[in-house]
């Protein structure tokens, strides 16, 4: 089977699995509820605050995405091995790397649909509460949503990498730890820069470049104040996410290609 | 032509957490399966049957040795589409309906989009699942899942079907249907390799068998060579009189020269003779025999 065909088939099925999972709908309901709560809170505060509504909603979208990326991403491979569904799949003309890419694409598409739905909920909430602000800040909001998706794609690739060699629980712990550390990546680099005279300083700088820098994807503050987000940042973040996903998936593929499925 | 050819296929697994030690699951397997035959891979649990199958499908990789399928090395790009595989105790995506699952595997096998649905329906009908095509897999019994597994293994009309314990989880009628299906596959020109520890199934349909014990090939050859007649012995099945009625059925194997005297003795006791047949060496006898005993039988049976 051609590579593109195999990847598309596996990704379609991964998406089908995700949308038929009731847990996902519960999460989506929870997230929409959070956006609703944000509307309520912003109305309860002194005046109607657009930035609190946007900040709260973007945080809810990120949280839902992280839960999906970490917990579904970590199960992408391990569950297939544990339940032995992978055996029949790999007995077909599907290369292991194509299976991984298909799973990755399926989960990223699931995240796109979920974030898209929540983004629509956010825009509707804004239209209801502060219609004048929507036109002014729609591009920065769209950019913020796009950056959340890029960060989630990177997180999914990392989750997939860990799921190739670690148990689901360990893989989830590793992925979540990287997400937390990655949000403070700039601080780690700053720490390293300030102590360059020590070996630890160089190590901190080196680690900060290897770890994913999730902080650069967070433009919630700028979006909530309707500040423009430049094309340069959009381009660089896109390139960074593509390279990081590519490297993580390449390592995952190299590990998985030679793995014994006992 | 040879459908499967294994040369010195060996697999070690490494067990233990800190100090890993190798455990040999398969030891220098030499095996040939001819095209168009039904070949039974027999052995106790842990004998190496599933390891052999997984090696052939590249789900695991050999420590040493090589294998070829349909004249091509393992992993050749065009090979997988010509093989159908049913794993042991299969578990499938339970969020799919039976038809959706078989269609998905047809898609992966490269069946053209326009034919997938018809092929899936045809395969499911062949395994007796015509009435349950639209049933979600999570609502299927173990036997139904096994049948769906068989359907996905044949939906792309493979040249070689590798079936790991295909009768497992099926009732007697279901097992008979699977046996018929395997025979039908051979009739259509396919080669079937299946593993089982249910010897009667192998005896009924296999052209040749291989017996594995602790990862080693203990016997390989035509079924006739295993279950051949032992003309020098006779098996008598009878029921003796006991307490005015007939007692339990008893089976005796005696030397052919003693046949008439034994029958006379049974008649004197008014026993009911159920059957008198030349004794057959059954597959089970060989299966349970110690390796040294099998080595003697191997000379006659090793015809692969």
């Amino acid at each position: 089977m051609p590579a593109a065909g195999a990847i598309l088939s596996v990704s379609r099925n991964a998406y089908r699995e995700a949308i038929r999972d009731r847990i996902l709908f519960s999460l989506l309901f929870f997230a929409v509820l959070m956006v609703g709560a944000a509307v309520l809170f912003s109305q309860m505060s002194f005046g109607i605050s657009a930035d609190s509504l946007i900040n709260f909603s973007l945080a809810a979208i990120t949280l839902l995405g992280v839960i999906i990326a970490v917990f579904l991403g970590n199960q992408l491979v391990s569950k297939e091995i544990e339940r032995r569904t992978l055996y029949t799949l790999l007995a077909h003309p599907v290369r292991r790397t194509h299976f991984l890419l298909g799973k990755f694409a399926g989960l990223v598409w699931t995240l796109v649909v979920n974030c898209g739905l929540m983004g629509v909920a956010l825009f509707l909430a804004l239209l209801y509460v502060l219609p004048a602000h929507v036109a002014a800040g729609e591009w920065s909001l769209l950019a913020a949503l796009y950056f959340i998706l890029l960060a989630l794609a990177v997180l999914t690739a990392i989750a997939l990498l860990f799921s190739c060699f670690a148990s689901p629980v360990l893989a989830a712990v590793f992925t979540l730890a990287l997400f937390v550390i990655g949000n403070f990546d700039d601080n780690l680099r700053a720490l390293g820069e300030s102590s360059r005279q020590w070996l630890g300083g160089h190590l901190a700088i080196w680690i900060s470049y290897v770890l994913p820098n999730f902080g650069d994807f967070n433009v919630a503050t700028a979006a909530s104040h309707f500040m423009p987000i430049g094309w340069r940042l959009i381009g660089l973040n896109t390139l960074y996410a593509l390279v990081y996903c590519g490297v993580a998936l390449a390592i995952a593929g190299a590990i998985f290609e030679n793995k014994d499925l006992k | 032509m040879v459908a499967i050819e294994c040369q010195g296929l060996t697999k070690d697994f490494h067990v233990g957490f800190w100090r890993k030690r190798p455990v040999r699951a398969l030891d220098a397997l030499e095996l040939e399966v001819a095209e168009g035959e039904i070949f039974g891979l027999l052995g106790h649990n842990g004998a190496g049957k599933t390891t052999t199958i997984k090696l052939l499908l590249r789900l695991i990789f050999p420590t040493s040795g090589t294998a070829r399928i349909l004249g091509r090395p393992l992993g050749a790009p065009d090979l997988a589409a010509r093989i159908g595989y049913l794993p042991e105790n299969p578990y499938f995506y339970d969020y799919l309906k039976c038809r959706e699952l078989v269609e998905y595997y047809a898609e992966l096998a490269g069946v053209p989009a326009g034919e997938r649905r018809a092929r899936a329906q045809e395969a499911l009908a062949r395994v007796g699942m015509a009435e349950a095509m639209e049933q979600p897999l999570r609502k299927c019994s173990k036997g139904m899942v096994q049948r769906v597994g068989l359907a996905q293994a044949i939906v792309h009309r493979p040249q070689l079907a590798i079936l790991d314990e295909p009768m497992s989880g099926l009732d007697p009628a279901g097992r008979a249907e699977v046996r018929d299906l395997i025979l039908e596959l051979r009739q259509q020109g396919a080669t079937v390799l299946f593993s089982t520890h249910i010897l009667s199934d192998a005896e009924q349909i296999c052209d040749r068998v291989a017996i594995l014990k602790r990862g080693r090939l203990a016997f390989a050859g035509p079924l006739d060579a295993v279950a051949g007649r032992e003309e020098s012995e006779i098996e008598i099945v009878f029921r003796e009189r006991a307490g005015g009625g007939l007692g339990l059925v008893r089976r005796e194997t005696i030397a052919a020269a003693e046949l008439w005297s034994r029958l006379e003795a049974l008649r004197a006791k008014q026993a009911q003779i159920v059957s008198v047949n030349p004794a057959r060496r059954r597959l089970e006898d060989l299966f349970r025999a110690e390796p040294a005993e099998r080595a003697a039988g191997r000379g006659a049976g090793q015809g692969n």
Side-chain angles (χ1 to χ4, degrees), chain A residues 178-220:
Chain A
L178 268 191
F179 180 69
V180 173
I181 298 167
N183 271 296
F184 297 102
D185 199 54
D186 287 337
N187 300 45
L188 185 66
R189 195 171 309 148
L191 182 74
E193 295 285 357
S194 64
S195 52
R196 265 186 182 274
Q197 65 273 31
W198 307 104
L199 178 67
H202 287 281
L203 196 66
I205 293 169
W206 186 79
I207 289 172
S208 74
Y209 280 115
V210 173
L211 294 179
N213 187 346
F214 287 115
D216 279 358
F217 294 112
N218 188 353
V219 289

Side-chain angles (χ1 to χ4, degrees), chain A:
Chain A
M1 191 178 200
I7 294 168
L8 195 67
S9 300
V10 175
S11 66
R12 264 204 304 255
N13 195 47
Y15 174 67
R16 190 161 49 177
E17 179 177 8
I19 57 164
R20 290 188 185 180
D21 198 333
R22 286 172 199 161
I23 297 169
L24 196 72
F25 281 106
S26 313
L27 286 171
L28 192 63
F29 175 74
F30 169 71
V32 171
L33 205 68
M34 281 180 78
V35 175
V39 175
L40 198 70
F41 290 140
S42 59
Q43 285 180 328
M44 280 163 64
S45 62
F46 187 70
I48 296 173
S49 160
D51 62 329
S52 62
L53 171 63
I54 291 168
N55 271 324
F56 200 79
S57 301
L58 289 179
I61 293 170
T62 307
L63 181 69
L64 172 80
V66 168
I67 293 171
I68 295 173
V70 172
F71 292 101
L72 291 188
N74 285 142
Q75 289 180 10
L76 282 182
V77 177
S78 56
K79 196 166 89 177
E80 292 254 6
I81 295 174
E82 191 185 304
R83 294 185 173 181
R84 286 175 291 180
T85 43
L86 192 56
Y87 294 178
T88 34
L89 199 142
L90 293 181
H92 285 83
V94 178
R95 283 193 58 183
R96 292 182 182 209
T97 310
H98 298 158
F99 162 77
L100 283 184
L101 290 174
K103 282 283 185 180
F104 172 74
L107 190 51
V108 168
W109 181 241
T110 306
L111 288 165
V112 168
V113 171
N114 276 280
C115 289
L117 286 174
M118 292 189 61
V120 169
L122 171 59
F123 273 98
L124 288 177
L126 267 176
L127 268 175
Y128 171 68
V129 180
L130 296 157
H133 286 69
V134 176
E138 61 185 2
W139 286 112
S140 53
L141 258 182
L142 276 177
L145 284 170
Y146 174 62
F147 283 179
I148 288 173
L149 272 174
L150 289 181
L152 292 176
V154 172
L155 197 65
T156 304
I158 292 167
L160 198 66
L161 169 60
F162 284 134
S163 78
C164 286
F165 61 87
S167 68
V169 176
L170 270 183
V173 171
F174 291 155
T175 313
L176 270 176
L178 268 191
F179 180 69
V180 173
I181 298 167
N183 271 296
F184 297 102
D185 199 54
D186 287 337
N187 300 45
L188 185 66
R189 195 171 309 148
L191 182 74
E193 295 285 357
S194 64
S195 52
R196 265 186 182 274
Q197 65 273 31
W198 307 104
L199 178 67
H202 287 281
L203 196 66
I205 293 169
W206 186 79
I207 289 172
S208 74
Y209 280 115
V210 173
L211 294 179
N213 187 346
F214 287 115
D216 279 358
F217 294 112
N218 188 353
V219 289
T221 311
S224 63
H225 291 93
F226 306 114
M227 287 159 64
I229 292 162
W231 284 105
R232 188 171 179 275
L233 183 63
I234 293 172
L236 284 175
N237 273 354
T238 305
L239 187 67
Y240 180 79
L242 283 175
V243 170
Y244 213 99
C245 287
V247 172
L249 292 173
I251 298 169
I255 294 170
F256 196 56
E257 274 293 333
N258 299 310
K259 188 182 173 80
D260 272 348
L261 303 174
K262 292 174 194 168

